[in-house]
């Protein structure tokens, strides 16, 4: 696997796609971050984790938000 899609050994997979994390071009088989050991994958995971953490913190139920019945 290489960042040069014309060097992929699978002739049927020459369609080019860009990885949104490392901005390199790969064939359609290797364009997924997991398929080419993307260098930007950890940063993507960290950002997603942080965004999810912030969203969950906003949704936290605390006693002051509960209506008195």
């Amino acid at each position: 696997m290489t960042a040069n899609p014309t060097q992929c050994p699978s002739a049927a997979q020459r369609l080019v796609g860009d990885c949104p994390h490392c901005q390199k071009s790969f064939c359609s088989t290797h364009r997924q971050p997991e398929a080419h050991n993307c260098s930007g994958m950890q940063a993507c995971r960290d950002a997603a984790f942080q965004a999810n953490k912030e969203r969950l913190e906003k949704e936290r139920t605390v006693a002051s938000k509960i209506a008195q019945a």
Side-chain angles (χ1 to χ4, degrees):
M1 136 192 60
T2 112
N4 184 349
T6 60
Q7 294 178 352
C8 183
S10 178
Q13 300 296 326
R14 295 278 168 89
L15 297 174
V16 178
D18 295 330
C19 173
H21 308 294
C22 66
Q23 310 306 317
K24 294 180 182 176
S25 295
F26 294 92
C27 69
S28 61
T29 301
H30 296 115
R31 70 179 178 81
Q32 298 297 323
E34 296 83 4
H36 66 267
N37 296 324
C38 182
S39 60
M41 192 64 177
Q42 189 59 45
C44 175
R45 286 182 180 150
D46 292 343
F49 177 83
Q50 188 63 31
N52 191 41
K53 178 181 174 185
E54 290 171 4
R55 183 177 58 88
L56 291 173
E57 286 291 328
K58 287 179 184 177
E59 295 174 0
R60 182 187 301 188
T61 302
V62 292
S64 64
K65 291 183 180 179
I66 299 175
Q68 298 295 325

